[in-house]
Amino acid sequence: MGADEEYPRCVNFGPARSFGIMLKSKMKETFFPDDPFFEFKREKSVGRGALKALQYFIPILEWLPNYSFDLFKYDLLAGITIASLAIPQGISYANLAQIPPIIGLYSSFVPPLLYAVFGSSKHLAVGTVAACSLLISETIEKKAAPSTDLYARYTGGFSVAFDNHGIHGRNSSAYNISADEGIAWLKAFHHAHRRSPFELEMYTHCSNYVFAPLKAGIITGVIALTEGIAIGRSFALSTNEQIDGNKEMIAYGVMNIVGSMTSCYLTTGPFSKTAVNFNSGCKTPMANVVQSVCMLMVLLFLAPLFSYTPHVALSAIIISAMLGLIKYKKAYHLFHTDKFDFVICMSAFFGVSFISMDMGLILSVGLALVRAMLYVARPATCKLGNIPNSNLYRDVEQYPGTIGHSGTLILQLGSPIYFANANYIKERILRWVRDENESSSTTQDIEYVLLDLGGVTAIDHTGVEAVLEVRKTLGSKGIKIMLVNPRIDVMDKLILMGTVDKIGREAVYLSTEDALNACKFTQSQTHDLMDVAL
């Protein structure tokens, strides 16, 4: 049996996959692209499988059994170093957020301890960050004046003040939710439907209490999560290691939820502390445990000393952090490589600097969304030509020396086809045909349009209808349409909607070369019949 007989070059028109199989595939690729349960499949023992599951969700169980004193020497030095940096930074960033400085110190005590248990990065050092501190202040002060009990409640959330001997300040009691307020919450939600004046006022207060910190929490949470994972991955790459994004999200969630109950505010993995931790020679997350213990000692015994820290020193730390956020080289690089990205970057910078934090974020995120919508609604299409002495077909604009085929137009679609771009793709194909027929270099009108669908990963009902409309429009002009290399998801949809039968199985091909050979064969037969008729 020859090679062609053993592996026939034909399109698979088998039955479409079931909904369950497609859903399982999509869910796995959406939520678990790194296949985190691969190790569980290899374990035949239930006990070993359970241990692997615990190690996955609690990474400290994986590295702690193999921990040694030699590793601890490095982590001890790194932990003490980042703790010495965390003290002035914690006080400074707390002032930036306009909350009592003691909260900044607590935020370098509880969250690092939790990250050591649930985090997957060996180098990440947990602490507060300047950008999120400033954003919290900018957002909350619109609802409540700083240094008031209401402002403290908005920024503190559900917190319990630890006993300490230092930097509480006169408003520290505001970080505890009173019993009266708890009763107000219950009564407001239980009796809101009665809408008496007293209850309506109380409900309005509760809504403000929820939505004011909710806005700040969502924005700063997304920023902190993105920044922490990005920094952790960048340092992991420097040692040819990899961190798990799913574990990092769990770690950040746990440390910030528990931290909010223990007089902490938002924490993540700041670049400055992580760089110091890395350069100090840390080997494992134990460095965060050392930092946590050092901060506990500070809170118990040394806190009063830091109440005399000069404001000019704290201001210098804040200014240094702010200047560190300005990446001149990155902006210069963006200007030369991507003008649109540069505009987004500058809109964020000038919006935050001269208008407000909210407007800066709205401008930059809005422009980013506009760019994403342009990518989605106006996907790239290109005309393909044959590279001489090969069976390769590439973009004629990128490779000007390619050769076209008389009477045939080959187009490549490079994105999913769905309701957002289906009409554009339809119009673009028809415009390609019009321009090709009007081109001075064309010796023969277009008879066949080949659509290379290798880059089309998905198609919806509107997309299928658009393909059928193109086929109908071109058919009225005597032009036949052929589909080349449809992906499995596209083929499933074409089979389920009966589109394959409408187009005809003879119009679907495995490769561009096969489709062209079929076109040439049909053209030669047509010419022979015309010769006979003449």
Side-chain angles (χ1 to χ4, degrees), residues 118-283:
F118 295 99
S120 63
S121 173
K122 296 179 179 179
H123 310 111
L124 199 75
V126 173
T128 56
V129 287
C132 290
S133 300
L134 184 62
L135 186 58
I136 289 172
S137 173
E138 175 77 16
T139 306
I140 300 299
E141 70 179 0
K142 294 179 180 179
K143 291 291 183 179
S147 302
T148 63
D149 289 352
L150 187 60
Y151 183 89
R153 287 189 178 96
Y154 281 172
T155 55
F158 298 95
S159 57
V160 180
F162 287 161
D163 182 26
N164 62 83
H165 307 283
I167 321 172
H168 266 297
R170 59 189 179 91
N171 289 321
S172 62
S173 62
Y175 282 81
N176 293 309
I177 292 178
S178 63
D180 293 339
E181 189 173 14
I183 294 172
W185 266 87
L186 294 175
K187 292 184 68 177
F189 284 109
H190 186 65
H191 300 290
H193 63 282
R194 298 183 181 178
R195 300 187 186 280
S196 67
F198 172 75
E199 289 169 341
L200 187 58
E201 180 182 357
M202 199 159 44
Y203 180 79
T204 302
H205 172 72
C206 292
S207 298
N208 288 334
Y209 187 88
V210 170
F211 293 113
L214 184 64
K215 177 183 176 182
I218 291 175
I219 296 173
T220 55
V222 171
I223 293 174
L225 179 64
T226 305
E227 179 181 359
I229 293 179
I231 290 172
R233 283 178 173 166
S234 64
F235 280 94
L237 286 174
S238 63
T239 55
N240 295 321
E241 296 174 346
Q242 189 175 5
I243 66 171
D244 190 327
N246 293 326
K247 294 179 184 178
E248 291 298 285
M249 285 192 286
I250 293 173
Y252 292 147
V254 170
M255 73 184 188
N256 280 293
I257 290 173
V258 176
S260 69
M261 301 177 184
T262 53
S263 294
C264 304
Y265 79 109
L266 186 101
T267 54
T268 182
F271 178 81
S272 58
K273 288 182 69 176
T274 303
V276 170
N277 193 34
F278 179 82
N279 292 325
S280 298
C282 73
K283 299 297 182 183

Side-chain angles (χ1 to χ4, degrees), residues 102-133:
I102 194 68
I103 305 301
L105 297 182
Y106 284 146
S107 300
S108 293
F109 164 47
V110 178
L113 197 62
L114 293 167
Y115 183 83
V117 176
F118 295 99
S120 63
S121 173
K122 296 179 179 179
H123 310 111
L124 199 75
V126 173
T128 56
V129 287
C132 290
S133 300

Side-chain angles (χ1 to χ4, degrees), residues 371-382 412-429 431-432 455-458:
R371 180 173 189 170
M373 290 174 64
L374 288 175
Y375 282 142
V376 169
R378 297 293 184 266
T381 61
C382 64
Q412 185 179 62
L413 309 182
S415 75
I417 306 175
Y418 62 115
F419 68 94
N421 60 22
N423 192 59
Y424 168 79
I425 290 177
K426 178 182 67 175
E427 293 176 351
R428 189 68 184 95
I429 293 172
R431 185 151 54 93
W432 272 114
V456 180
T457 56

